[in-house]
Amino acid sequence: MYLTKEEELALSGEYGPAVQKAMEILVALGDIYNADRLIPIKSAQIAGVSYKNLGEYGMQFLRDFVEMGAKVSVYTTLNPAGIGDEEFTEKQQEILDLYRAMGVEITSTCTPYYGPNLPKFGDHLAWSESSAVSFANSVLGARTNREGGPSSLAAAIVGKTPNYGLHLEENRRATHLIKIEAEVRERTEYSILGYRIGEIVKDGVPYIKGIRPDVDDLKAMGASMAASGSVALYHVEGETPEWRTALNDVVEEILIDEKDLQEVKERFSAEWREVDFILLGCPHASLKEIKEIAELLRMRNRPLKVPLFVTVSKSVKALADYLGYTEIIERYNGKLLSDVCLVVSPVNEWYSGVATNSGKAAFYFKSFGLNVRLDGLEKIIMEAP
Amino acid sequence: MKLKGRGIGKGVVEGVVIVSRRPLSFLGGVDPETGIITDAESDIKGESIKGKILAFPRGKGSTVGSYVIYALAKGGNGPKALIVEDAETIVTVGAIISGIPLVTGIDIKKLKTGMRVRVNAETGEVEIIGEGNL
């Protein structure tokens, strides 16, 4: 990989050990993926935040990096944190403090684009949260690979990333043409559709034909695809910004019908009596989704017997507080949790079953051994005990 | 015999090889306190990689695996060097942050557990210097 004089100096330790270590990571990745050079990024988004995932070893790495004087050089936000007992909370706080010491903005969310980390078309990024990567690439038309924790941190410190993968035009074209021959109306149906597509295309780039999703539907669908597969970019005909240039005539064609979607849904059909909490907001809810939840609760007009958690970013929570939605949701036994994620928390120690409208959450909770009911928002709120 | 691949990281080390024929997950697959392989699907389950030169096709599993490699190295329970057929992000980043020499692009079928090898991360060469007794 070609390095500028400045980059050579950074690699030789001229700017301190933290920059040197970060450069070593970027150069090694650039070499194995045959990148021609490093390119500047507009922002970073770092995974490896929850104590559940990071553990003592990840914390040790962060402590060592802080001690070496690591500082980020571009706007950087974090993935959601975990919640747990007292010891967990203490460790979680230390992790956030370590990132803060490196100059990272402590907004811990999988929807950074609802806050100040909003890229524009064509921006190069180093993001790591799988659903945020999918949204940035597919819905916004920015360009990022699926980074790991240390590689996104290294890119944040240097302000650059190796030029390979989805940073290159030729890798952004479709690998599969997916024709939808089913009525997809409601958000959870988009989530289920994304789940099926992810299973089929794995790490490919699907081009989807025959749906008219709104922006929240796109978010839900992309998150599922990135969980059941490792899809980092998809196109929807007539909807997403790069669809016109995405397709050529040599891609594999796949048909998805009503039966395929029903088959996925049946895998997550726990009975209500097996459910001891409800999770909405995976990925973190938009203000519009919170409004929908508050309105449905008001229509239901009696408190939920099982607790309802809605996970959100800090910025959206502040707006929900201001507009009165938080208060309404709390009145019916709901709670808005900001900057955290239940998928990266030890929920299986507290609960045995969940109802959710998210295909992504359904995928992970099932893998932790929970009973999962996957349903539409309206059905969940109206039918829950 | 010399095998030619691509070197990542720094240094030249010599040691005894342990070969895993299957991809390895470091998160949940290796005990960072001892260096013993715990992955139920691994063909070297129960063996220790501490102080050995670990050869395997590629990494798999969570990207948190990079931190497990770091923990192994920090605690003195890590491998001396890594040889892989196909380096991906988890193993590459793990090796770099831990200062473990890595050579990728090697046909590991040519290696057998117990062989003595010299791994050169600068030139990307793996030299078999002894057949071992296994």
Side-chain angles (χ1 to χ4, degrees):
Chain A
M1 185 168 61
Y2 166 80
L3 294 180
T4 65
K5 279 211 181 84
E6 191 74 7
E7 289 161 359
E8 290 283 5
L9 286 174
L11 187 60
S12 70
E14 187 71 22
Y15 305 115
V19 173
Q20 182 178 27
K21 186 59 82 184
M23 273 299 287
E24 283 174 6
I25 294 172
L26 300 181
V27 169
L29 289 173
D31 282 343
I32 63 163
Y33 292 114
N34 294 314
D36 58 345
R37 64 198 161 99
L38 295 174
I39 47 171
I41 54 166
K42 290 283 169 63
S43 74
Q45 193 266 347
I46 298 174
V49 178
S50 163
Y51 176 61
K52 184 187 171 192
N53 286 348
L54 206 50
E56 286 300 321
Y57 319 118
M59 282 180 80
Q60 191 55 49
F61 172 75
L62 293 178
R63 276 190 214 108
D64 293 347
F65 234 19
V66 169
E67 236 164 71
M68 286 193 273
K71 285 270 186 274
V72 299
S73 67
V74 293
Y75 193 75
T76 303
T77 60
L78 291 174
N79 242 13
I83 48 176
D85 59 16
E86 204 176 316
E87 191 203 337
F88 189 103
T89 307
E90 216 169 273
K91 300 281 190 187
Q92 188 63 74
Q93 194 53 52
E94 192 195 333
I95 292 165
L96 295 179
D97 289 343
L98 288 166
Y99 281 119
R100 186 182 285 115
M102 290 190 258
V104 175
E105 195 94 282
I106 307 303
T107 53
S108 309
T109 176
C110 51
T111 57
Y113 41 84
Y114 293 151
N117 199 352
L118 173 60
K120 62 180 184 354
F121 187 85
D123 282 353
H124 292 279
L125 318 168
W127 284 23
S128 44
E129 205 289 314
S130 68
S131 77
V133 163
S134 169
F135 194 90
N137 275 317
S138 315
V139 183
L140 302 175
R143 299 182 170 203
T144 176
N145 288 318
R146 274 164 69 111
E147 301 284 347
S151 68
S152 57
L153 179 56
I157 289 167
V158 174
K160 293 178 182 179
T161 194
N163 191 31
Y164 71 92
L166 293 177
H167 293 286
L168 303 172
E169 189 75 45
E170 65 262 31
N171 297 325
R172 299 180 68 82
R173 306 227 172 88
T175 58
H176 296 71
L177 169 61
I178 315 277
K179 288 185 179 160
I180 311 300
E181 292 195 344
E183 286 273 346
V184 186
R185 294 151 301 225
E186 199 269 335
R187 191 149 308 132
T188 305
E189 291 174 357
Y190 279 102
S191 199
I192 291 166
L193 173 61
Y195 196 102
R196 187 75 196 114
I197 294 173
E199 285 185 324
I200 295 167
V201 309
K202 298 187 176 75
D203 62 351
V205 178
Y207 178 102
I208 309 159
K209 201 179 156 93
I211 50 171
R212 285 280 170 268
D214 73 11
V215 71
D216 288 312
D217 298 335
L218 288 170
K219 179 182 73 170
M221 184 174 74
S224 288
M225 259 186 250
S228 66
S230 49
V231 177
L233 167 65
Y234 63 87
H235 305 284
V236 180
E237 192 168 272
E239 301 286 332
T240 56
E242 291 170 73
W243 72 272
R244 278 189 182 83
T245 52
L247 203 60
N248 59 37
D249 46 19
V250 290
V251 299
E252 196 178 329
E253 275 192 39
I254 287 146
L255 206 79
I256 291 183
D257 61 17
E258 212 72 63
K259 219 173 71 225
D260 295 309
L261 303 184
Q262 196 54 37
E263 196 268 314
V264 172
K265 194 164 180 273
E266 275 161 17
R267 290 186 239 168
F268 305 104
S269 52
E271 301 288 332
W272 270 113
R273 60 183 160 75
E274 298 173 301
V275 166
D276 44 18
F277 78 107
I278 299 169
L279 173 76
L280 304 171
C282 172
H284 284 172
S286 67
L287 189 63
K288 190 165 148 254
E289 289 173 300
I290 289 172
K291 185 179 186 195
E292 286 166 9
I293 295 165
E295 282 171 353
L296 284 166
L297 282 168
R298 229 177 351 205
M299 259 158 59
R300 173 188 160 103
N301 202 23
R302 63 195 162 89
L304 295 157
K305 286 200 183 114
V306 287
L308 157 69
F309 301 112
V310 186
T311 42
V312 288
S313 64
K314 265 192 206 106
S315 53
V316 169
K317 167 81 160 50
L319 280 169
D321 291 352
Y322 174 75
L323 295 167
Y325 300 134
T326 308
E327 202 199 314
I328 296 168
I329 290 169
E330 282 173 359
R331 204 183 300 153
Y332 295 97
N333 197 23
K335 204 170 167 57
L336 257 61
L337 302 174
S338 64
D339 272 22
V340 296
C341 172
L342 294 190
V343 169
V344 296
S345 305
V347 275
N348 46 334
E349 293 171 17
W350 316 323
Y351 297 109
S352 60
V354 62
T356 182
N357 65 342
S358 159
K360 173 176 179 167
F363 176 85
Y364 284 109
F365 284 138
K366 195 174 184 189
S367 77
F368 303 154
L370 263 67
N371 298 314
V372 180
R373 183 181 182 89
L374 178 59
D375 237 331
L377 184 62
E378 191 175 340
K379 284 192 96 173
I380 288 178
I381 291 181
M382 292 306 169
E383 291 176 7
Chain B
M1 184 168 56
K2 259 189 192 173
L3 308 172
K4 182 82 181 115
R6 187 194 267 173
I8 290 162
K10 291 180 192 131
V12 183
V13 296
E14 259 182 51
V16 176
V17 176
I18 178 164
V19 184
S20 164
R21 301 286 168 201
R22 295 197 183 155
L24 262 183
S25 166
F26 283 88
L27 181 69
V30 186
D31 180 356
E33 312 283 342
T34 60
I36 291 172
I37 302 285
T38 55
D39 183 349
E41 287 170 24
S42 173
D43 52 328
I44 55 167
K45 182 174 186 272
E47 309 266 349
S48 172
I49 58 172
K50 177 177 174 173
K52 294 183 186 144
I53 291 174
L54 175 62
F56 57 111
R58 69 189 59 78
K60 63 168 186 175
S62 167
T63 57
V64 177
S66 304
Y67 294 129
V68 176
I69 298 175
Y70 186 73
L72 283 163
K74 273 259 150 178
N77 300 308
K80 266 188 184 170
L82 297 168
I83 301 171
V84 292
E85 285 178 350
D86 181 17
E88 38 57 69
T89 307
I90 303 167
V91 171
T92 306
V93 171
I96 290 291
I97 63 179
S98 316
I100 299 174
L102 168 70
V103 174
T104 177
I106 297 291
D107 180 4
I108 64 158
K109 281 193 220 66
K110 301 228 162 77
L111 298 172
K112 280 199 295 264
T113 296
M115 279 178 169
R116 254 195 108 67
V117 298
R118 185 181 294 126
V119 176
N120 189 334
E122 322 272 334
T123 61
E125 280 171 342
V126 174
E127 189 181 354
I128 299 169
I129 52 179
E131 286 295 325
N133 49 12
L134 285 173

Short mmCIF file of all heavy atoms in Angstrom, two decimals, chain B residues 78-113:
data_model
loop_
_atom_site.label_atom_id
_atom_site.label_comp_id
_atom_site.label_asym_id
_atom_site.label_seq_id
_atom_site.Cartn_x
_atom_site.Cartn_y
_atom_site.Cartn_z
N GLY B 78 0.12 -16.53 25.05
CA GLY B 78 -0.17 -16.48 23.63
C GLY B 78 0.79 -17.32 22.80
O GLY B 78 1.80 -17.79 23.29
N PRO B 79 0.43 -17.48 21.50
CA PRO B 79 1.35 -18.14 20.59
C PRO B 79 2.53 -17.23 20.25
O PRO B 79 2.42 -16.01 20.36
CB PRO B 79 0.49 -18.41 19.36
CG PRO B 79 -0.60 -17.38 19.42
CD PRO B 79 -0.82 -17.05 20.86
N LYS B 80 3.66 -17.84 19.85
CA LYS B 80 4.86 -17.07 19.46
C LYS B 80 4.65 -16.40 18.11
O LYS B 80 5.22 -15.36 17.84
CB LYS B 80 6.04 -18.04 19.30
CG LYS B 80 6.90 -18.21 20.51
CD LYS B 80 8.09 -19.04 20.05
CE LYS B 80 9.00 -19.36 21.20
NZ LYS B 80 10.03 -20.34 20.79
N ALA B 81 3.92 -17.08 17.25
CA ALA B 81 3.65 -16.56 15.91
C ALA B 81 2.40 -17.22 15.38
O ALA B 81 1.96 -18.25 15.91
CB ALA B 81 4.83 -16.85 14.98
N LEU B 82 1.81 -16.62 14.34
CA LEU B 82 0.60 -17.17 13.71
C LEU B 82 0.88 -17.41 12.24
O LEU B 82 1.51 -16.59 11.57
CB LEU B 82 -0.56 -16.18 13.85
CG LEU B 82 -1.04 -15.87 15.28
CD1 LEU B 82 -1.98 -14.67 15.28
CD2 LEU B 82 -1.72 -17.08 15.91
N ILE B 83 0.41 -18.56 11.75
CA ILE B 83 0.49 -18.86 10.31
C ILE B 83 -0.93 -19.16 9.85
O ILE B 83 -1.61 -20.01 10.44
CB ILE B 83 1.38 -20.09 10.05
CG1 ILE B 83 2.80 -19.87 10.59
CG2 ILE B 83 1.42 -20.42 8.56
CD1 ILE B 83 3.67 -21.13 10.56
N VAL B 84 -1.40 -18.45 8.83
CA VAL B 84 -2.75 -18.70 8.33
C VAL B 84 -2.76 -18.80 6.81
O VAL B 84 -1.84 -18.33 6.14
CB VAL B 84 -3.75 -17.58 8.77
CG1 VAL B 84 -3.99 -17.61 10.26
CG2 VAL B 84 -3.28 -16.21 8.34
N GLU B 85 -3.82 -19.43 6.30
CA GLU B 85 -3.97 -19.48 4.84
C GLU B 85 -4.51 -18.14 4.36
O GLU B 85 -4.12 -17.64 3.31
CB GLU B 85 -4.96 -20.60 4.46
CG GLU B 85 -4.31 -21.96 4.60
CD GLU B 85 -5.25 -23.12 4.28
OE1 GLU B 85 -6.48 -22.90 4.11
OE2 GLU B 85 -4.74 -24.23 4.20
N ASP B 86 -5.41 -17.58 5.16
CA ASP B 86 -6.17 -16.43 4.71
C ASP B 86 -6.41 -15.51 5.91
O ASP B 86 -7.23 -15.80 6.76
CB ASP B 86 -7.51 -17.00 4.17
CG ASP B 86 -8.42 -15.93 3.64
OD1 ASP B 86 -7.93 -14.81 3.39
OD2 ASP B 86 -9.62 -16.21 3.50
N ALA B 87 -5.65 -14.42 5.98
CA ALA B 87 -5.81 -13.50 7.11
C ALA B 87 -7.08 -12.69 6.90
O ALA B 87 -7.35 -12.23 5.80
CB ALA B 87 -4.61 -12.57 7.19
N GLU B 88 -7.90 -12.58 7.94
CA GLU B 88 -9.03 -11.66 7.89
C GLU B 88 -8.87 -10.66 9.05
O GLU B 88 -7.86 -10.69 9.75
CB GLU B 88 -10.38 -12.39 7.89
CG GLU B 88 -10.46 -13.63 8.75
CD GLU B 88 -10.13 -13.35 10.17
OE1 GLU B 88 -10.93 -12.67 10.82
OE2 GLU B 88 -9.08 -13.82 10.66
N THR B 89 -9.87 -9.80 9.24
CA THR B 89 -9.71 -8.68 10.16
C THR B 89 -9.43 -9.11 11.60
O THR B 89 -8.56 -8.55 12.26
CB THR B 89 -10.99 -7.81 10.14
OG1 THR B 89 -11.25 -7.48 8.78
CG2 THR B 89 -10.81 -6.54 10.93
N ILE B 90 -10.14 -10.13 12.10
CA ILE B 90 -10.02 -10.51 13.51
C ILE B 90 -8.59 -10.90 13.86
O ILE B 90 -7.99 -10.39 14.80
CB ILE B 90 -10.96 -11.70 13.86
CG1 ILE B 90 -12.41 -11.36 13.53
CG2 ILE B 90 -10.81 -12.09 15.33
CD1 ILE B 90 -13.34 -12.57 13.55
N VAL B 91 -8.04 -11.82 13.06
CA VAL B 91 -6.70 -12.34 13.35
C VAL B 91 -5.63 -11.28 13.06
O VAL B 91 -4.69 -11.11 13.84
CB VAL B 91 -6.46 -13.63 12.53
CG1 VAL B 91 -5.01 -14.07 12.63
CG2 VAL B 91 -7.38 -14.73 13.01
N THR B 92 -5.80 -10.56 11.96
CA THR B 92 -4.80 -9.55 11.59
C THR B 92 -4.71 -8.47 12.67
O THR B 92 -3.61 -8.14 13.13
CB THR B 92 -5.18 -8.88 10.24
OG1 THR B 92 -5.36 -9.91 9.29
CG2 THR B 92 -4.11 -7.93 9.78
N VAL B 93 -5.86 -7.94 13.07
CA VAL B 93 -5.86 -6.88 14.09
C VAL B 93 -5.35 -7.43 15.41
O VAL B 93 -4.56 -6.79 16.11
CB VAL B 93 -7.28 -6.27 14.23
CG1 VAL B 93 -7.35 -5.35 15.43
CG2 VAL B 93 -7.66 -5.52 12.97
N GLY B 94 -5.76 -8.66 15.76
CA GLY B 94 -5.29 -9.29 16.99
C GLY B 94 -3.78 -9.41 17.02
O GLY B 94 -3.14 -9.10 18.03
N ALA B 95 -3.20 -9.86 15.92
CA ALA B 95 -1.75 -10.02 15.84
C ALA B 95 -1.03 -8.68 15.96
O ALA B 95 -0.04 -8.55 16.69
CB ALA B 95 -1.37 -10.71 14.53
N ILE B 96 -1.56 -7.67 15.28
CA ILE B 96 -0.92 -6.36 15.28
C ILE B 96 -0.96 -5.73 16.68
O ILE B 96 0.06 -5.28 17.19
CB ILE B 96 -1.59 -5.40 14.26
CG1 ILE B 96 -1.28 -5.85 12.84
CG2 ILE B 96 -1.17 -3.95 14.48
CD1 ILE B 96 0.16 -5.67 12.42
N ILE B 97 -2.14 -5.72 17.32
CA ILE B 97 -2.22 -5.06 18.63
C ILE B 97 -1.43 -5.84 19.68
O ILE B 97 -1.01 -5.29 20.69
CB ILE B 97 -3.68 -4.80 19.10
CG1 ILE B 97 -4.47 -6.09 19.31
CG2 ILE B 97 -4.40 -3.87 18.14
CD1 ILE B 97 -5.91 -5.86 19.79
N SER B 98 -1.19 -7.12 19.44
CA SER B 98 -0.46 -7.95 20.41
C SER B 98 1.02 -8.06 20.10
O SER B 98 1.77 -8.64 20.89
CB SER B 98 -1.05 -9.36 20.42
OG SER B 98 -2.45 -9.32 20.42
N GLY B 99 1.44 -7.57 18.94
CA GLY B 99 2.85 -7.68 18.55
C GLY B 99 3.27 -9.10 18.21
O GLY B 99 4.43 -9.48 18.39
N ILE B 100 2.33 -9.91 17.73
CA ILE B 100 2.65 -11.29 17.35
C ILE B 100 2.91 -11.36 15.83
O ILE B 100 2.06 -10.93 15.05
CB ILE B 100 1.48 -12.25 17.71
CG1 ILE B 100 1.23 -12.24 19.22
CG2 ILE B 100 1.77 -13.67 17.24
CD1 ILE B 100 0.00 -13.04 19.64
N PRO B 101 4.07 -11.89 15.41
CA PRO B 101 4.33 -12.00 13.97
C PRO B 101 3.30 -12.91 13.29
O PRO B 101 2.91 -13.92 13.87
CB PRO B 101 5.72 -12.62 13.88
CG PRO B 101 6.28 -12.59 15.26
CD PRO B 101 5.16 -12.43 16.22
N LEU B 102 2.87 -12.53 12.10
CA LEU B 102 1.84 -13.28 11.36
C LEU B 102 2.30 -13.46 9.92
O LEU B 102 2.80 -12.53 9.30
CB LEU B 102 0.53 -12.47 11.40
CG LEU B 102 -0.62 -12.89 10.49
CD1 LEU B 102 -1.23 -14.21 10.93
CD2 LEU B 102 -1.71 -11.82 10.47
N VAL B 103 2.14 -14.69 9.41
CA VAL B 103 2.37 -14.91 7.97
C VAL B 103 1.10 -15.49 7.38
O VAL B 103 0.53 -16.44 7.91
CB VAL B 103 3.58 -15.83 7.71
CG1 VAL B 103 3.70 -16.15 6.22
CG2 VAL B 103 4.86 -15.17 8.20
N THR B 104 0.62 -14.88 6.30
CA THR B 104 -0.61 -15.32 5.65
C THR B 104 -0.29 -15.82 4.24
O THR B 104 0.79 -15.57 3.72
CB THR B 104 -1.65 -14.19 5.61
OG1 THR B 104 -2.81 -14.65 4.92
CG2 THR B 104 -1.13 -12.95 4.91
N GLY B 105 -1.24 -16.56 3.65
CA GLY B 105 -1.04 -17.07 2.30
C GLY B 105 -0.20 -18.34 2.27
O GLY B 105 0.44 -18.66 1.28
N ILE B 106 -0.23 -19.09 3.38
CA ILE B 106 0.55 -20.33 3.46
C ILE B 106 -0.41 -21.52 3.35
O ILE B 106 -1.46 -21.54 3.99
CB ILE B 106 1.29 -20.41 4.83
CG1 ILE B 106 2.30 -19.26 4.96
CG2 ILE B 106 1.96 -21.78 5.02
CD1 ILE B 106 3.50 -19.35 4.05
N ASP B 107 -0.04 -22.52 2.55
CA ASP B 107 -0.81 -23.75 2.47
C ASP B 107 -0.48 -24.58 3.71
O ASP B 107 0.56 -25.25 3.77
CB ASP B 107 -0.42 -24.50 1.19
CG ASP B 107 -1.20 -25.80 1.03
OD1 ASP B 107 -2.08 -26.07 1.89
OD2 ASP B 107 -0.92 -26.54 0.08
N ILE B 108 -1.38 -24.55 4.70
CA ILE B 108 -1.04 -25.18 5.98
C ILE B 108 -1.07 -26.71 5.92
O ILE B 108 -0.67 -27.37 6.87
CB ILE B 108 -1.93 -24.66 7.15
CG1 ILE B 108 -3.40 -25.03 6.95
CG2 ILE B 108 -1.75 -23.17 7.38
CD1 ILE B 108 -4.18 -25.04 8.25
N LYS B 109 -1.55 -27.26 4.80
CA LYS B 109 -1.48 -28.73 4.62
C LYS B 109 -0.03 -29.21 4.65
O LYS B 109 0.25 -30.36 4.95
CB LYS B 109 -2.14 -29.13 3.30
CG LYS B 109 -3.66 -29.15 3.38
CD LYS B 109 -4.24 -29.85 2.16
CE LYS B 109 -5.47 -29.18 1.61
NZ LYS B 109 -5.26 -27.83 1.04
N LYS B 110 0.88 -28.31 4.31
CA LYS B 110 2.31 -28.67 4.29
C LYS B 110 2.89 -28.72 5.70
O LYS B 110 4.04 -29.13 5.88
CB LYS B 110 3.07 -27.63 3.45
CG LYS B 110 2.56 -27.53 2.01
CD LYS B 110 3.72 -27.56 1.02
CE LYS B 110 3.26 -27.89 -0.39
NZ LYS B 110 2.63 -26.77 -1.08
N LEU B 111 2.12 -28.28 6.68
CA LEU B 111 2.63 -28.25 8.06
C LEU B 111 1.97 -29.33 8.90
O LEU B 111 0.80 -29.66 8.70
CB LEU B 111 2.33 -26.87 8.69
CG LEU B 111 2.98 -25.67 8.00
CD1 LEU B 111 2.45 -24.37 8.60
CD2 LEU B 111 4.50 -25.72 8.13
N LYS B 112 2.75 -29.87 9.84
CA LYS B 112 2.22 -30.89 10.75
C LYS B 112 2.56 -30.49 12.18
O LYS B 112 3.62 -29.92 12.44
CB LYS B 112 2.87 -32.24 10.46
CG LYS B 112 2.24 -32.96 9.28
CD LYS B 112 2.54 -34.45 9.28
CE LYS B 112 3.99 -34.82 9.11
NZ LYS B 112 4.45 -35.15 7.78
N THR B 113 1.66 -30.78 13.10
CA THR B 113 1.91 -30.51 14.50
C THR B 113 3.22 -31.20 14.91
O THR B 113 3.45 -32.36 14.57
CB THR B 113 0.74 -31.04 15.36
OG1 THR B 113 -0.43 -30.30 15.01
CG2 THR B 113 1.01 -30.86 16.85
#
